[in-house]
């Protein structure tokens, strides 16, 4: 296998290469479905495109919240495509009890080629059904948007139905964007926010009623935990008057301290002295690295959405990071950390988990520690830490939790 900096490594990674790829099997996990209470999604497209969404809806328990409008070639050629959407909403309003307040119309790749006038269609829907709100989502993997990926576009509409509040109607609430599970009650972020008098904390996954959802418009601040949610945060800032701070998970203790200072400045609060917490995290991480005694470490993008930043933090603590399985997306979430590793860390191998070469070739021996299930499978790793997209790991506590998980995985609690 080629090392970082070798031209062949780029080919191996698959950028611009016609090489084969494959999908690793999914791990059975509990899925959080982000759903706006009082809303209904109408998928509009050919049967072949909508099939997997029907399967997912049944699998994850949201079948009652979605419907499907199957269109044929005749519908497209005849120009009935948009008429059918308007008529279908009317039928759903008669059939569903209670009637939805919000409709999200999800269209597929074919719509990119048809060139539907979305503004005109939305105006038509609002005139026909003034009691409802509407938005159009695009499920179009064939379309490359350099500014916003498909996931970001879908998430941006999730918050677009929140109604603005007058300045005096805002409270001390905080919107959490990009969270799919509750924070650990002992997470230092929660204690920091409470110390500044902030609350309640509001997240889409926790909304049980339409009123809960609309209450997000009253918050004072939004925290963005996944970069794909920045479009949603822009909407909250520009339309709802709610400023935001990017708070992506980090395993760099100093970066965590900087984040808390950023929040304090936004709130007009004195910056906290977090030097003791930073040092405690460093000591814990360095002690854990010494216990591993040079054991090779592999990290994949299932473990962390910002896998290069996570690898850079671990390298800084003294871990023997030897392999990174990066994502195949074109969006650079942690470009600076990626450049640092590519330029300064020649011992680190960088490749894609989906590369067909891993079917017969291993980047490391199996005597290694894998952070993430994908690289654990590929390497047949002896030691595994199963973390998915940083969930449950945040702040100083998240660093300590990761170190404890690593020690438990290798059986060294000293």
């Amino acid at each position: 296998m080629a090392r970082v900096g070798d031209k062949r490594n780029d080919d191996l990674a698959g950028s611009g290469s016609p090489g084969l790829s494959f999908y690793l099997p999914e791990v059975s996990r509990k899925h959080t479905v982000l759903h706006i209470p009082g809303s209904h999604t109408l998928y509009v497209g050919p049967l072949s495109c909508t099939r997997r969404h029907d399967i997912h809806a049944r699998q994850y328990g949201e079948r009652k919240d979605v419907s499907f409008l199957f269109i044929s070639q005749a519908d497209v050629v005849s120009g009935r495509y948009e008429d059918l959407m308007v008529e279908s909403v009317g039928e759903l309003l008669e059939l569903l009890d209670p009637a939805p307040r919000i409709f999200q119309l999800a269209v597929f790749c074919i719509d990119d080629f048809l060139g539907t006038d979305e503004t005109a269609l939305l105006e038509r829907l609002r005139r026909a059904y003034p009691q409802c709100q509407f938005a159009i989502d695009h499920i179009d993997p064939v379309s490359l948007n350099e500014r916003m990926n498909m996931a970001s576009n879908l998430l941006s509409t999730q918050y677009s139905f929140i109604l603005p509040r007058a300045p005096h109607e805002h409270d001390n609430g905080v919107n959490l964007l990009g969270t799919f599970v509750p924070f650990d009650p002992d997470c230092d972020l929660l204690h920091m926010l409470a110390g500044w008098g902030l609350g309640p904390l509001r997240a889409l996954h926790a909304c049980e009623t339409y009123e809960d959802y609309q209450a997000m418009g009253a918050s004072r601040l939004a925290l963005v935990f996944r970069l794909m949610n920045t479009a949603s945060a822009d909407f909250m800032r520009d339309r709802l008057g709610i400023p935001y701070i990017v708070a992506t998970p980090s395993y760099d203790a100093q970066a965590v301290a900087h984040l808390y200072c950023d929040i304090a400045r936004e709130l007009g609060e004195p910056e906290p002295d977090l030097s003791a917490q930073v040092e405690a995290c460093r000591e814990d991480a360095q002690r854990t690295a010494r216990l591993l005694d040079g054991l090779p470490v592999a990290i994949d993008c299932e473990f962390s959405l910002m896998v290069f930043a996570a690898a850079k933090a671990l390298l800084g603590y003294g871990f023997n990071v030897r392999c990174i399985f990066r994502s195949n997306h074109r969006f650079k979430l942690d470009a600076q950390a990626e450049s640092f590793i590519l330029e300064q860390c020649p011992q680190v191998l960088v490749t894609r988990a989906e590369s067909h070469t891993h079917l017969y070739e291993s980047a490391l021996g199996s005597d290694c520690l894998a952070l993430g299930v994908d690289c654990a499978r590929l390497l047949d790793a002896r030691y595994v830490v199963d973390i998915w997209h940083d969930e449950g790991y945040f702040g100083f506590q998240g660093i300590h939790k990761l170190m404890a998980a690593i020690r438990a995985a290798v059986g060294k609690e000293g």
Side-chain angles (χ1 to χ4, degrees):
M1 177 165 305
R3 294 188 179 276
V4 170
D6 188 325
K7 174 61 172 67
R8 293 173 298 165
N9 194 68
D10 293 333
D11 295 335
L12 181 65
S15 58
S17 170
L20 297 174
S21 65
F22 67 98
Y23 286 101
L24 290 162
E26 289 190 10
V27 176
S28 178
R29 301 182 188 276
K30 181 180 178 180
H31 281 69
T32 299
V33 177
L34 293 183
H35 174 71
I36 304 170
S39 72
H40 195 83
T41 299
L42 175 62
Y43 290 96
V44 183
L47 179 63
S48 58
C49 298
T50 56
R51 182 185 298 114
R52 69 182 179 91
H53 295 276
D54 186 17
I55 293 172
H56 287 175
R58 295 174 188 275
Q59 184 176 1
Y60 302 137
E62 58 167 341
R63 186 62 183 86
K64 62 181 177 59
D65 299 318
V66 302
S67 297
F68 298 87
L69 171 59
F70 304 123
I71 62 170
S72 65
Q73 291 181 344
D75 297 323
V76 174
V77 173
S78 67
R80 285 272 296 157
Y81 175 60
E82 296 179 24
D83 292 340
L84 289 171
M85 284 192 267
V86 177
E87 294 169 8
S88 296
V89 170
E91 293 179 19
L92 288 171
L93 285 171
E94 294 179 1
L95 292 171
L96 299 174
D97 185 22
R101 302 188 188 195
I102 294 170
F103 278 95
Q104 292 177 269
L105 280 67
V107 298
F108 293 83
C109 303
I110 188 174
D111 192 78
D112 292 326
F113 299 105
L114 292 174
T116 300
D117 186 338
E118 291 184 12
T119 301
L121 176 59
L122 289 172
E123 288 178 355
R124 184 178 173 187
L125 286 165
R126 289 164 184 154
R127 286 197 304 270
Y129 313 106
Q131 73 275 32
C132 298
Q133 294 176 270
F134 297 91
I136 296 178
D137 291 326
H138 285 267
I139 302 173
D140 49 359
V142 302
S143 176
L144 178 61
N145 184 329
E146 295 292 347
R147 188 182 67 84
M148 185 187 301
N149 62 23
M150 189 174 72
S152 298
N153 184 54
L154 291 172
L155 287 170
S156 67
T157 63
Q158 292 285 338
Y159 302 92
S160 64
F161 305 101
I162 300 175
L163 301 177
R165 302 288 185 101
H168 70 275
E169 294 179 308
H170 284 261
D171 56 23
N172 284 326
V174 178
N175 292 337
L176 310 179
L177 307 184
T179 59
F180 292 85
V181 297
F183 279 91
D184 189 311
D186 293 328
C187 180
D188 35 90
L189 172 66
L190 304 187
H191 297 301
M192 297 290 291
L193 295 176
W196 287 317
L198 296 181
L201 304 184
R202 299 179 172 117
L204 181 56
H205 70 78
C207 291
E208 296 182 357
T209 66
Y210 179 78
E211 289 70 27
D212 290 340
Y213 171 73
Q214 288 296 338
M216 297 184 76
S219 292
R220 174 183 178 182
L221 179 70
L223 297 178
V224 178
F225 298 98
R226 298 191 184 206
L227 291 177
M228 64 182 67
N229 286 92
T230 51
S232 304
D234 287 340
F235 168 82
M236 289 190 176
R237 180 196 59 201
D238 299 338
R239 295 284 301 278
L240 306 179
I242 302 173
Y244 71 87
I245 293 175
V246 174
T248 50
S250 177
Y251 301 99
D252 181 333
Q254 193 61 60
V256 174
H258 288 322
L259 168 63
Y260 291 151
C261 289
D262 288 343
I263 297 175
R265 283 193 296 271
E266 177 64 37
L267 299 172
E269 298 284 348
E271 293 185 17
D273 180 5
L274 301 169
S275 55
Q277 291 92 322
V278 171
E279 186 59 29
C281 285
R282 285 176 175 163
E283 290 179 358
D284 191 10
Q286 290 170 355
R287 177 173 64 91
T288 303
R290 289 194 297 270
L291 287 172
L292 265 59
D293 192 25
L295 181 72
V297 177
I299 307 177
D300 68 41
C301 55
E302 289 293 295
F303 157 67
S304 176
L305 287 171
M306 302 178 69
V307 64
F308 288 99
K312 182 181 177 183
L314 293 179
L315 285 164
Y317 295 133
F319 287 86
N320 183 24
V321 178
R322 296 294 304 280
C323 192
I324 296 174
F325 292 88
R326 68 170 179 82
S327 170
N328 195 35
H329 62 66
R330 294 176 179 268
F331 295 85
K332 302 291 187 179
L333 301 179
D334 48 358
Q336 290 185 341
E338 180 178 359
S339 296
F340 173 85
I341 288 174
L342 291 174
E343 295 169 6
Q344 304 295 327
C345 306
Q347 79 279 13
V348 179
L349 303 172
V350 178
T351 186
R352 288 189 305 118
E354 299 90 351
S355 173
H356 73 282
T357 59
H358 303 306
L359 293 173
Y360 60 85
E361 184 177 304
S362 174
L364 299 174
S366 60
D367 190 21
C368 65
L369 168 68
L371 302 183
V373 173
D374 281 357
C375 63
R377 281 202 180 99
L378 291 166
L379 301 173
D380 191 23
R382 181 178 178 184
Y383 310 106
V384 183
V385 175
D386 182 7
I387 299 174
W388 190 79
H389 287 181
D390 311 294
E391 287 191 352
Y393 291 75
F394 191 86
F396 299 125
Q397 188 217 30
I399 297 172
H400 289 300
K401 283 180 64 176
L402 175 60
M403 296 306 130
I406 289 173
R407 294 192 297 269
V410 299
K412 294 184 178 181
E413 294 294 341

